[in-house]
């Protein structure tokens, strides 16, 4: 019924204009993601471009955030890894079109978003790193899984681990499936309630063009999964999905689990914690965080680090 | 399943009751359905049109469509079976007639692993549909329509692959009873 109301509202409102962006929003021309100014603080290819032989064998994990987010989404994991396991190198990529302005975002495609992940991987390989893993939250998930579908690693260094945190294949809100019909009338969609901290690190306004891109990468990945995506023999995958997350539908996990083919079944793990948080690894900036959320976050971080350290 | 059985029983009683009064037409055929940006589900459909009921313009039917015969055939798509009962009203008695339809039923999914036991594997279906029917000179009927599912998953309950918009086409052979 809510879709009918949405559709009726669209017809009455007609074509939407430009959003009302303030200086307190990431979407404006004042706030930018810090990785644009100081990439060496976020990317291992920039901070350690000439690794020693020992560093080349260290686990490096490329972490990719979700739709509208920024490098902020993985800050807590980086801090945790740095403080507890200095041997693990965390490389935080900023997806193309993100962390900049509304117009930059509007003009970007999912391939632009993904290009940052590919670029960092290729820079690390070029620098000599041999133990590379990936982690993607929300839209970061399909962007990473798509790299396997397009055989990016066929003649290159094979990733060791892939961690997918609340990866999206099917959105919780099914009206996204109709964005191609109603998007042009909407123009953009405003995010729900955000904290002041979140407004600095997430776009508040979602141009309909980018929602169509989001739908495209989800659909492409779903179809690739239906055909089966073969991971390299040395690559394992762990999927974490909150059961009561209101952004990503739970069937996304089923599709990923059934569609990814690993060398052995035990190289594929799935965890469905009873949480309502979307992207359970990011708690900073949220309005309400419980002790249970913190325990869960630490558990996921510890498991990720354990997996990263488990192979040479 | 209990709900489906109750609905089926009421539906059957209605058909039997109506059949005692008039002579009727029954159509049997194939149904092809595509959810917009989701799965393709195909199967069988049967429709019963009691003679002289609202000028032959009201019919009742049942369909079974599944991804087994669509997206999940030889692929990793989620297996889901839909059992749907429908009432159709034709706006005209001519060979080409616009129609509206109310569908109700149940969807059952098979996630193929006990890992996903906590995810809902069934949900009720309720949808409205509009389209057209064309009856050829031979007893062949083609129906096509666009529908809207009034019940979809919110991500935390129901089956996430039941999407709002769908299009369907049915090819049916009709028999007089």
């Amino acid at each position: 019924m809510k879709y009918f109301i949405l559709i009726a509202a669209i017809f009455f409102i007609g074509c939407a204009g430009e959003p009302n962006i303030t200086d307190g929003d990431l979407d404006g021309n004042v706030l930018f993601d810090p990785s644009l100014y100081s990439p060496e603080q976020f990317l291992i290819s920039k901070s350690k471009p000439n690794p020693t032989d020992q560093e080349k064998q260290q686990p490096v994990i490329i972490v990719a955030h979700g739709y509208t987010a920024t490098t902020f989404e993985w800050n807590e994991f980086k801090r945790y890894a740095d403080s507890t396991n200095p041997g693990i190198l965390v490389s935080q990529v900023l997806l193309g079109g993100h962390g900049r302005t509304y117009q930059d975002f509007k003009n970007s495609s999912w391939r632009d978003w993904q290009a940052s992940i590919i670029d960092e991987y290729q820079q690390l390989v070029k620098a000599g790193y041999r133990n590379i893993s990936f982690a993607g939250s929300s839209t970061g998930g399909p962007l990473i899984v798509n790299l396997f579908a397009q055989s990016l690693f066929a003649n290159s260094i094979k990733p060791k681990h892939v961690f997918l945190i609340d990866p999206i294949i099917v959105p919780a809100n099914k009206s996204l499936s109709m964005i191609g019909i109603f998007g042009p009338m909407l123009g953009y969609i405003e995010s729900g309630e955000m904290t002041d901290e979140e407004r600095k690190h997430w776009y508040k306004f979602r141009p309909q063009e980018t929602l169509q891109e989001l739908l495209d990468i989800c659909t492409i990945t779903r179809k690739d999964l239906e055909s089966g995506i073969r991971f390299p023999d040395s690559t394992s995958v762990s999927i974490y999905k909150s059961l009561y997350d209101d952004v990503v539908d739970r069937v996304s996990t089923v599709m990923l689990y059934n569609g990814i083919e690993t060398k052995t079944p035990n190289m594929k793990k799935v965890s469905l914690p009873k949480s309502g948080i979307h992207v359970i690894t990011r708690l900073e900036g949220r309005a309400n965080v419980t002790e249970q959320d913190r325990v869960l976050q630490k558990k996921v971080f510890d498991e990720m680090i354990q997996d990263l350290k488990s192979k040479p | 399943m209990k709900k489906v059985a109750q609905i089926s029983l009421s539906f059957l009683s209605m058909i039997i009751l109506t059949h005692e009064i008039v002579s009727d037409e029954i159509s049997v055929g194939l149904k092809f359905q595509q959810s917009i940006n989701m799965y393709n589900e195909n199967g069988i459909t049967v429709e019963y049109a009691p003679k002289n009921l609202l000028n032959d313009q009201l019919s009742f039917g049942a369909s079974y469509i599944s991804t087994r015969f669509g997206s999940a055939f030889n692929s990793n798509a989620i297996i889901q079976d839909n059992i749907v009962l429908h009432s159709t009203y034709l706006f005209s008695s001519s060979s080409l007639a616009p129609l509206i339809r109310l569908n109700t039923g149940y969807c059952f999914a098979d996630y193929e692993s006990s890992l996903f036991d906590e995810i809902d594997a069934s949900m009720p279906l309720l949808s409205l549909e509009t389209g057209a029917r064309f009856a050829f000179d031979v007893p062949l009927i083609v129906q096509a329509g666009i529908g809207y599912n009034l019940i979809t998953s919110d991500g935390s309950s129901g089956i996430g692959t039941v999407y709002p918009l769908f299009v369907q086409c049915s090819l049916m052979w009709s028999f007089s009873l």
Side-chain angles (χ1 to χ4, degrees), chain A residues 76-77 80 165-166 240-244 271-283 286 289-304:
Chain A
E76 286 158 274
F77 177 68
Y80 188 81
I165 313 295
D166 294 327
Y240 294 90
K241 173 72 184 75
S242 293
L243 269 179
Y244 311 117
S271 177
L272 300 169
K274 288 186 171 72
S275 167
I277 288 184
H278 177 59
V279 182
I280 50 180
T281 43
R282 193 277 296 184
L283 299 180
R286 290 190 194 274
V289 176
T290 66
E291 187 52 32
Q292 194 184 352
D293 297 329
R294 296 195 191 286
V295 169
L296 177 60
Q297 183 197 46
K298 184 177 181 306
K299 181 176 176 285
V300 176
F301 284 170
D302 286 340
E303 286 176 4
M304 288 175 69

mmCIF file of all heavy atoms in Angstrom, chain A residues 76-77 80 165-166 240-244 271-283 286 289-304:
data_model
loop_
_atom_site.group_PDB
_atom_site.id
_atom_site.type_symbol
_atom_site.label_atom_id
_atom_site.label_comp_id
_atom_site.label_asym_id
_atom_site.label_seq_id
_atom_site.Cartn_x
_atom_site.Cartn_y
_atom_site.Cartn_z
ATOM 1 N N GLU A 76 36.369 2.559 11.902
ATOM 2 C CA GLU A 76 36.457 1.791 13.164
ATOM 3 C C GLU A 76 37.240 0.499 12.978
ATOM 4 O O GLU A 76 38.003 0.100 13.853
ATOM 5 C CB GLU A 76 35.050 1.475 13.686
ATOM 6 C CG GLU A 76 34.357 2.682 14.275
ATOM 7 C CD GLU A 76 32.853 2.510 14.273
ATOM 8 O OE1 GLU A 76 32.219 2.820 13.245
ATOM 9 O OE2 GLU A 76 32.308 2.062 15.296
ATOM 10 N N PHE A 77 37.062 -0.142 11.853
ATOM 11 C CA PHE A 77 37.814 -1.382 11.603
ATOM 12 C C PHE A 77 39.302 -1.078 11.492
ATOM 13 O O PHE A 77 40.144 -1.802 12.036
ATOM 14 C CB PHE A 77 37.319 -2.059 10.321
ATOM 15 C CG PHE A 77 38.108 -3.300 9.977
ATOM 16 C CD1 PHE A 77 38.027 -4.437 10.788
ATOM 17 C CD2 PHE A 77 38.942 -3.328 8.866
ATOM 18 C CE1 PHE A 77 38.769 -5.576 10.480
ATOM 19 C CE2 PHE A 77 39.672 -4.472 8.559
ATOM 20 C CZ PHE A 77 39.588 -5.597 9.365
ATOM 21 N N TYR A 80 40.698 -0.420 14.883
ATOM 22 C CA TYR A 80 40.743 -1.669 15.653
ATOM 23 C C TYR A 80 41.920 -2.529 15.191
ATOM 24 O O TYR A 80 42.686 -3.049 16.003
ATOM 25 C CB TYR A 80 39.435 -2.439 15.490
ATOM 26 C CG TYR A 80 39.313 -3.636 16.405
ATOM 27 C CD1 TYR A 80 38.927 -3.479 17.734
ATOM 28 C CD2 TYR A 80 39.599 -4.925 15.948
ATOM 29 C CE1 TYR A 80 38.820 -4.575 18.584
ATOM 30 C CE2 TYR A 80 39.499 -6.022 16.792
ATOM 31 C CZ TYR A 80 39.110 -5.846 18.109
ATOM 32 O OH TYR A 80 39.015 -6.934 18.944
ATOM 33 N N ILE A 165 29.753 -7.483 4.215
ATOM 34 C CA ILE A 165 28.980 -7.039 5.379
ATOM 35 C C ILE A 165 27.655 -6.449 4.889
ATOM 36 O O ILE A 165 27.651 -5.424 4.199
ATOM 37 C CB ILE A 165 29.749 -5.952 6.188
ATOM 38 C CG1 ILE A 165 31.213 -6.372 6.430
ATOM 39 C CG2 ILE A 165 29.014 -5.623 7.482
ATOM 40 C CD1 ILE A 165 31.403 -7.579 7.302
ATOM 41 N N ASP A 166 26.560 -7.093 5.231
ATOM 42 C CA ASP A 166 25.235 -6.655 4.778
ATOM 43 C C ASP A 166 25.239 -6.307 3.284
ATOM 44 O O ASP A 166 24.804 -5.204 2.879
ATOM 45 C CB ASP A 166 24.729 -5.457 5.614
ATOM 46 C CG ASP A 166 24.486 -5.857 7.065
ATOM 47 O OD1 ASP A 166 24.088 -7.007 7.300
ATOM 48 O OD2 ASP A 166 24.709 -5.016 7.963
ATOM 49 N N TYR A 240 28.281 -11.624 6.319
ATOM 50 C CA TYR A 240 27.599 -11.245 7.571
ATOM 51 C C TYR A 240 26.367 -10.434 7.180
ATOM 52 O O TYR A 240 26.465 -9.472 6.421
ATOM 53 C CB TYR A 240 28.505 -10.383 8.443
ATOM 54 C CG TYR A 240 29.716 -11.115 8.968
ATOM 55 C CD1 TYR A 240 30.906 -11.135 8.239
ATOM 56 C CD2 TYR A 240 29.680 -11.789 10.180
ATOM 57 C CE1 TYR A 240 32.019 -11.814 8.714
ATOM 58 C CE2 TYR A 240 30.789 -12.470 10.658
ATOM 59 C CZ TYR A 240 31.961 -12.480 9.924
ATOM 60 O OH TYR A 240 33.056 -13.151 10.390
ATOM 61 N N LYS A 241 25.227 -10.832 7.693
ATOM 62 C CA LYS A 241 23.993 -10.121 7.335
ATOM 63 C C LYS A 241 23.070 -10.007 8.544
ATOM 64 O O LYS A 241 22.631 -11.018 9.097
ATOM 65 C CB LYS A 241 23.295 -10.899 6.203
ATOM 66 C CG LYS A 241 21.932 -10.382 5.827
ATOM 67 C CD LYS A 241 22.007 -9.051 5.088
ATOM 68 C CE LYS A 241 20.626 -8.492 4.807
ATOM 69 N NZ LYS A 241 19.979 -7.919 6.014
ATOM 70 N N SER A 242 22.799 -8.773 8.940
ATOM 71 C CA SER A 242 21.851 -8.536 10.040
ATOM 72 C C SER A 242 20.477 -9.052 9.644
ATOM 73 O O SER A 242 19.998 -8.750 8.549
ATOM 74 C CB SER A 242 21.712 -7.038 10.323
ATOM 75 O OG SER A 242 22.891 -6.517 10.820
ATOM 76 N N LEU A 243 19.840 -9.765 10.534
ATOM 77 C CA LEU A 243 18.530 -10.347 10.196
ATOM 78 C C LEU A 243 17.438 -9.290 10.055
ATOM 79 O O LEU A 243 16.505 -9.459 9.295
ATOM 80 C CB LEU A 243 18.121 -11.360 11.265
ATOM 81 C CG LEU A 243 18.535 -12.810 11.025
ATOM 82 C CD1 LEU A 243 18.093 -13.702 12.174
ATOM 83 C CD2 LEU A 243 17.983 -13.352 9.715
ATOM 84 N N TYR A 244 17.578 -8.191 10.822
ATOM 85 C CA TYR A 244 16.492 -7.201 10.823
ATOM 86 C C TYR A 244 16.908 -5.850 10.222
ATOM 87 O O TYR A 244 16.318 -4.817 10.509
ATOM 88 C CB TYR A 244 15.962 -7.020 12.258
ATOM 89 C CG TYR A 244 15.666 -8.343 12.917
ATOM 90 C CD1 TYR A 244 16.366 -8.762 14.047
ATOM 91 C CD2 TYR A 244 14.718 -9.210 12.374
ATOM 92 C CE1 TYR A 244 16.120 -10.004 14.635
ATOM 93 C CE2 TYR A 244 14.467 -10.443 12.941
ATOM 94 C CZ TYR A 244 15.166 -10.835 14.073
ATOM 95 O OH TYR A 244 14.915 -12.065 14.629
ATOM 96 N N SER A 271 26.908 -15.744 8.303
ATOM 97 C CA SER A 271 26.495 -15.453 9.679
ATOM 98 C C SER A 271 25.312 -14.486 9.616
ATOM 99 O O SER A 271 25.367 -13.479 8.907
ATOM 100 C CB SER A 271 27.677 -14.833 10.423
ATOM 101 O OG SER A 271 27.291 -14.473 11.714
ATOM 102 N N LEU A 272 24.250 -14.824 10.361
ATOM 103 C CA LEU A 272 23.037 -13.985 10.346
ATOM 104 C C LEU A 272 22.734 -13.487 11.759
ATOM 105 O O LEU A 272 21.840 -14.010 12.429
ATOM 106 C CB LEU A 272 21.851 -14.792 9.811
ATOM 107 C CG LEU A 272 21.964 -15.355 8.391
ATOM 108 C CD1 LEU A 272 20.833 -16.341 8.106
ATOM 109 C CD2 LEU A 272 21.956 -14.241 7.357
ATOM 110 N N PRO A 273 23.486 -12.499 12.232
ATOM 111 C CA PRO A 273 23.240 -12.009 13.597
ATOM 112 C C PRO A 273 21.868 -11.343 13.727
ATOM 113 O O PRO A 273 21.378 -10.728 12.777
ATOM 114 C CB PRO A 273 24.367 -11.002 13.819
ATOM 115 C CG PRO A 273 24.829 -10.627 12.459
ATOM 116 C CD PRO A 273 24.579 -11.793 11.565
ATOM 117 N N LYS A 274 21.305 -11.465 14.932
ATOM 118 C CA LYS A 274 19.976 -10.868 15.191
ATOM 119 C C LYS A 274 20.145 -9.389 15.527
ATOM 120 O O LYS A 274 20.046 -8.985 16.680
ATOM 121 C CB LYS A 274 19.290 -11.616 16.332
ATOM 122 C CG LYS A 274 18.813 -13.008 15.948
ATOM 123 C CD LYS A 274 18.017 -13.638 17.076
ATOM 124 C CE LYS A 274 17.340 -14.919 16.666
ATOM 125 N NZ LYS A 274 18.210 -16.053 16.478
ATOM 126 N N SER A 275 20.418 -8.624 14.508
ATOM 127 C CA SER A 275 20.631 -7.195 14.706
ATOM 128 C C SER A 275 19.759 -6.431 13.717
ATOM 129 O O SER A 275 19.409 -6.947 12.654
ATOM 130 C CB SER A 275 22.106 -6.862 14.456
ATOM 131 O OG SER A 275 22.284 -5.466 14.342
ATOM 132 N N GLY A 276 19.414 -5.201 14.078
ATOM 133 C CA GLY A 276 18.621 -4.374 13.170
ATOM 134 C C GLY A 276 19.482 -3.337 12.479
ATOM 135 O O GLY A 276 18.980 -2.475 11.767
ATOM 136 N N ILE A 277 20.794 -3.406 12.697
ATOM 137 C CA ILE A 277 21.693 -2.389 12.144
ATOM 138 C C ILE A 277 22.143 -2.766 10.743
ATOM 139 O O ILE A 277 22.555 -3.895 10.498
ATOM 140 C CB ILE A 277 22.914 -2.211 13.080
ATOM 141 C CG1 ILE A 277 22.474 -1.485 14.340
ATOM 142 C CG2 ILE A 277 24.050 -1.477 12.390
ATOM 143 C CD1 ILE A 277 23.593 -1.165 15.292
ATOM 144 N N HIS A 278 22.050 -1.816 9.843
ATOM 145 C CA HIS A 278 22.594 -2.031 8.502
ATOM 146 C C HIS A 278 24.073 -1.639 8.530
ATOM 147 O O HIS A 278 24.411 -0.525 8.909
ATOM 148 C CB HIS A 278 21.843 -1.181 7.482
ATOM 149 C CG HIS A 278 22.417 -1.301 6.097
ATOM 150 N ND1 HIS A 278 22.492 -2.504 5.436
ATOM 151 C CD2 HIS A 278 22.982 -0.381 5.268
ATOM 152 C CE1 HIS A 278 23.046 -2.319 4.249
ATOM 153 N NE2 HIS A 278 23.368 -1.042 4.138
ATOM 154 N N VAL A 279 24.913 -2.525 8.136
ATOM 155 C CA VAL A 279 26.380 -2.439 8.240
ATOM 156 C C VAL A 279 26.755 -2.477 9.721
ATOM 157 O O VAL A 279 27.025 -1.447 10.359
ATOM 158 C CB VAL A 279 26.982 -1.209 7.515
ATOM 159 C CG1 VAL A 279 28.512 -1.233 7.625
ATOM 160 C CG2 VAL A 279 26.572 -1.198 6.056
ATOM 161 N N ILE A 280 26.805 -3.672 10.201
ATOM 162 C CA ILE A 280 27.019 -3.896 11.631
ATOM 163 C C ILE A 280 28.429 -3.552 12.087
ATOM 164 O O ILE A 280 28.687 -3.453 13.279
ATOM 165 C CB ILE A 280 26.708 -5.374 11.997
ATOM 166 C CG1 ILE A 280 27.448 -6.317 11.037
ATOM 167 C CG2 ILE A 280 25.219 -5.634 11.955
ATOM 168 C CD1 ILE A 280 27.197 -7.787 11.312
ATOM 169 N N THR A 281 29.314 -3.341 11.121
ATOM 170 C CA THR A 281 30.697 -3.010 11.492
ATOM 171 C C THR A 281 30.886 -1.509 11.742
ATOM 172 O O THR A 281 31.947 -1.087 12.175
ATOM 173 C CB THR A 281 31.656 -3.455 10.371
ATOM 174 O OG1 THR A 281 31.077 -3.087 9.112
ATOM 175 C CG2 THR A 281 31.865 -4.959 10.404
ATOM 176 N N ARG A 282 29.867 -0.710 11.441
ATOM 177 C CA ARG A 282 29.985 0.732 11.672
ATOM 178 C C ARG A 282 28.969 1.166 12.730
ATOM 179 O O ARG A 282 27.766 1.119 12.506
ATOM 180 C CB ARG A 282 29.733 1.481 10.356
ATOM 181 C CG ARG A 282 30.126 2.941 10.358
ATOM 182 C CD ARG A 282 29.099 3.897 10.937
ATOM 183 N NE ARG A 282 27.857 3.939 10.163
ATOM 184 C CZ ARG A 282 26.857 4.765 10.434
ATOM 185 N NH1 ARG A 282 26.920 5.598 11.465
ATOM 186 N NH2 ARG A 282 25.737 4.724 9.722
ATOM 187 N N LEU A 283 29.498 1.621 13.854
ATOM 188 C CA LEU A 283 28.616 2.096 14.928
ATOM 189 C C LEU A 283 28.794 3.600 15.159
ATOM 190 O O LEU A 283 27.871 4.279 15.589
ATOM 191 C CB LEU A 283 28.912 1.334 16.222
ATOM 192 C CG LEU A 283 28.688 -0.190 16.172
ATOM 193 C CD1 LEU A 283 29.027 -0.830 17.512
ATOM 194 C CD2 LEU A 283 27.248 -0.538 15.776
ATOM 195 N N ARG A 286 26.123 6.757 14.883
ATOM 196 C CA ARG A 286 24.723 6.331 14.963
ATOM 197 C C ARG A 286 24.055 6.950 16.194
ATOM 198 O O ARG A 286 24.720 7.197 17.199
ATOM 199 C CB ARG A 286 24.621 4.806 15.053
ATOM 200 C CG ARG A 286 24.998 4.089 13.787
ATOM 201 C CD ARG A 286 24.637 2.614 13.875
ATOM 202 N NE ARG A 286 25.278 1.844 12.825
ATOM 203 C CZ ARG A 286 24.787 1.669 11.602
ATOM 204 N NH1 ARG A 286 23.634 2.212 11.278
ATOM 205 N NH2 ARG A 286 25.441 0.953 10.704
ATOM 206 N N VAL A 289 23.212 3.178 19.972
ATOM 207 C CA VAL A 289 24.080 1.999 19.905
ATOM 208 C C VAL A 289 24.022 1.293 21.252
ATOM 209 O O VAL A 289 24.168 1.923 22.300
ATOM 210 C CB VAL A 289 25.539 2.403 19.589
ATOM 211 C CG1 VAL A 289 26.452 1.185 19.618
ATOM 212 C CG2 VAL A 289 25.621 3.103 18.242
ATOM 213 N N THR A 290 23.787 -0.007 21.210
ATOM 214 C CA THR A 290 23.690 -0.763 22.462
ATOM 215 C C THR A 290 24.992 -1.521 22.716
ATOM 216 O O THR A 290 25.835 -1.657 21.823
ATOM 217 C CB THR A 290 22.539 -1.788 22.384
ATOM 218 O OG1 THR A 290 22.877 -2.768 21.386
ATOM 219 C CG2 THR A 290 21.225 -1.126 22.039
ATOM 220 N N GLU A 291 25.107 -2.035 23.925
ATOM 221 C CA GLU A 291 26.274 -2.831 24.280
ATOM 222 C C GLU A 291 26.322 -4.104 23.415
ATOM 223 O O GLU A 291 27.396 -4.557 23.010
ATOM 224 C CB GLU A 291 26.209 -3.202 25.771
ATOM 225 C CG GLU A 291 27.464 -3.890 26.308
ATOM 226 C CD GLU A 291 28.755 -3.137 26.019
ATOM 227 O OE1 GLU A 291 28.749 -1.891 25.966
ATOM 228 O OE2 GLU A 291 29.792 -3.818 25.810
ATOM 229 N N GLN A 292 25.136 -4.602 23.114
ATOM 230 C CA GLN A 292 25.043 -5.799 22.267
ATOM 231 C C GLN A 292 25.620 -5.509 20.862
ATOM 232 O O GLN A 292 26.290 -6.360 20.268
ATOM 233 C CB GLN A 292 23.572 -6.200 22.154
ATOM 234 C CG GLN A 292 23.357 -7.580 21.603
ATOM 235 C CD GLN A 292 21.870 -7.894 21.425
ATOM 236 O OE1 GLN A 292 21.002 -7.134 21.843
ATOM 237 N NE2 GLN A 292 21.590 -9.007 20.806
ATOM 238 N N ASP A 293 25.361 -4.314 20.356
ATOM 239 C CA ASP A 293 25.898 -3.922 19.044
ATOM 240 C C ASP A 293 27.432 -3.909 19.091
ATOM 241 O O ASP A 293 28.099 -4.336 18.148
ATOM 242 C CB ASP A 293 25.394 -2.531 18.634
ATOM 243 C CG ASP A 293 23.883 -2.485 18.465
ATOM 244 O OD1 ASP A 293 23.301 -3.513 18.091
ATOM 245 O OD2 ASP A 293 23.300 -1.415 18.739
ATOM 246 N N ARG A 294 27.965 -3.377 20.204
ATOM 247 C CA ARG A 294 29.434 -3.293 20.326
ATOM 248 C C ARG A 294 30.057 -4.674 20.403
ATOM 249 O O ARG A 294 31.117 -4.937 19.829
ATOM 250 C CB ARG A 294 29.820 -2.471 21.565
ATOM 251 C CG ARG A 294 29.369 -1.034 21.461
ATOM 252 C CD ARG A 294 30.045 -0.124 22.485
ATOM 253 N NE ARG A 294 29.395 1.177 22.501
ATOM 254 C CZ ARG A 294 29.531 2.097 21.545
ATOM 255 N NH1 ARG A 294 30.323 1.853 20.515
ATOM 256 N NH2 ARG A 294 28.891 3.246 21.622
ATOM 257 N N VAL A 295 29.397 -5.550 21.120
ATOM 258 C CA VAL A 295 29.895 -6.930 21.243
ATOM 259 C C VAL A 295 29.905 -7.588 19.865
ATOM 260 O O VAL A 295 30.877 -8.253 19.478
ATOM 261 C CB VAL A 295 29.018 -7.738 22.242
ATOM 262 C CG1 VAL A 295 29.349 -9.221 22.191
ATOM 263 C CG2 VAL A 295 29.198 -7.186 23.659
ATOM 264 N N LEU A 296 28.827 -7.368 19.120
ATOM 265 C CA LEU A 296 28.719 -7.969 17.784
ATOM 266 C C LEU A 296 29.785 -7.395 16.852
ATOM 267 O O LEU A 296 30.436 -8.133 16.103
ATOM 268 C CB LEU A 296 27.316 -7.707 17.220
ATOM 269 C CG LEU A 296 27.051 -8.215 15.806
ATOM 270 C CD1 LEU A 296 27.227 -9.724 15.720
ATOM 271 C CD2 LEU A 296 25.642 -7.829 15.364
ATOM 272 N N GLN A 297 29.971 -6.084 16.908
ATOM 273 C CA GLN A 297 30.976 -5.451 16.055
ATOM 274 C C GLN A 297 32.363 -6.034 16.328
ATOM 275 O O GLN A 297 33.111 -6.390 15.411
ATOM 276 C CB GLN A 297 30.987 -3.937 16.296
ATOM 277 C CG GLN A 297 31.968 -3.194 15.394
ATOM 278 C CD GLN A 297 32.286 -1.793 15.897
ATOM 279 O OE1 GLN A 297 32.553 -1.601 17.087
ATOM 280 N NE2 GLN A 297 32.250 -0.830 15.005
ATOM 281 N N LYS A 298 32.697 -6.161 17.609
ATOM 282 C CA LYS A 298 34.016 -6.697 17.989
ATOM 283 C C LYS A 298 34.166 -8.146 17.512
ATOM 284 O O LYS A 298 35.230 -8.548 17.022
ATOM 285 C CB LYS A 298 34.200 -6.603 19.510
ATOM 286 C CG LYS A 298 35.568 -7.051 19.982
ATOM 287 C CD LYS A 298 35.725 -6.872 21.481
ATOM 288 C CE LYS A 298 37.110 -7.288 21.960
ATOM 289 N NZ LYS A 298 37.490 -8.634 21.580
ATOM 290 N N LYS A 299 33.093 -8.898 17.655
ATOM 291 C CA LYS A 299 33.121 -10.303 17.225
ATOM 292 C C LYS A 299 33.430 -10.396 15.718
ATOM 293 O O LYS A 299 34.266 -11.195 15.297
ATOM 294 C CB LYS A 299 31.758 -10.948 17.532
ATOM 295 C CG LYS A 299 31.648 -12.414 17.165
ATOM 296 C CD LYS A 299 30.280 -12.964 17.614
ATOM 297 C CE LYS A 299 30.072 -14.395 17.196
ATOM 298 N NZ LYS A 299 29.771 -14.555 15.787
ATOM 299 N N VAL A 300 32.755 -9.545 14.941
ATOM 300 C CA VAL A 300 32.979 -9.570 13.487
ATOM 301 C C VAL A 300 34.412 -9.139 13.169
ATOM 302 O O VAL A 300 35.103 -9.789 12.370
ATOM 303 C CB VAL A 300 31.947 -8.677 12.740
ATOM 304 C CG1 VAL A 300 32.242 -8.633 11.249
ATOM 305 C CG2 VAL A 300 30.530 -9.179 12.982
ATOM 306 N N PHE A 301 34.869 -8.074 13.824
ATOM 307 C CA PHE A 301 36.252 -7.609 13.600
ATOM 308 C C PHE A 301 37.246 -8.727 13.933
ATOM 309 O O PHE A 301 38.190 -8.982 13.180
ATOM 310 C CB PHE A 301 36.555 -6.383 14.469
ATOM 311 C CG PHE A 301 35.938 -5.094 13.974
ATOM 312 C CD1 PHE A 301 35.963 -3.954 14.770
ATOM 313 C CD2 PHE A 301 35.337 -5.016 12.723
ATOM 314 C CE1 PHE A 301 35.411 -2.760 14.322
ATOM 315 C CE2 PHE A 301 34.776 -3.828 12.270
ATOM 316 C CZ PHE A 301 34.811 -2.702 13.068
ATOM 317 N N ASP A 302 37.043 -9.372 15.070
ATOM 318 C CA ASP A 302 37.976 -10.431 15.503
ATOM 319 C C ASP A 302 37.982 -11.587 14.501
ATOM 320 O O ASP A 302 39.051 -12.127 14.176
ATOM 321 C CB ASP A 302 37.597 -10.949 16.905
ATOM 322 C CG ASP A 302 37.969 -9.952 17.991
ATOM 323 O OD1 ASP A 302 38.827 -9.077 17.727
ATOM 324 O OD2 ASP A 302 37.396 -10.029 19.101
ATOM 325 N N GLU A 303 36.801 -11.951 14.020
ATOM 326 C CA GLU A 303 36.735 -13.061 13.055
ATOM 327 C C GLU A 303 37.420 -12.678 11.746
ATOM 328 O O GLU A 303 38.111 -13.494 11.124
ATOM 329 C CB GLU A 303 35.268 -13.443 12.796
ATOM 330 C CG GLU A 303 34.653 -14.196 13.965
ATOM 331 C CD GLU A 303 33.166 -14.508 13.788
ATOM 332 O OE1 GLU A 303 32.604 -14.205 12.719
ATOM 333 O OE2 GLU A 303 32.576 -15.045 14.739
ATOM 334 N N MET A 304 37.222 -11.440 11.333
ATOM 335 C CA MET A 304 37.868 -10.982 10.092
ATOM 336 C C MET A 304 39.385 -11.027 10.243
ATOM 337 O O MET A 304 40.099 -11.528 9.355
ATOM 338 C CB MET A 304 37.416 -9.544 9.769
ATOM 339 C CG MET A 304 35.976 -9.426 9.285
ATOM 340 S SD MET A 304 35.442 -7.716 9.064
ATOM 341 C CE MET A 304 36.416 -7.217 7.645
#
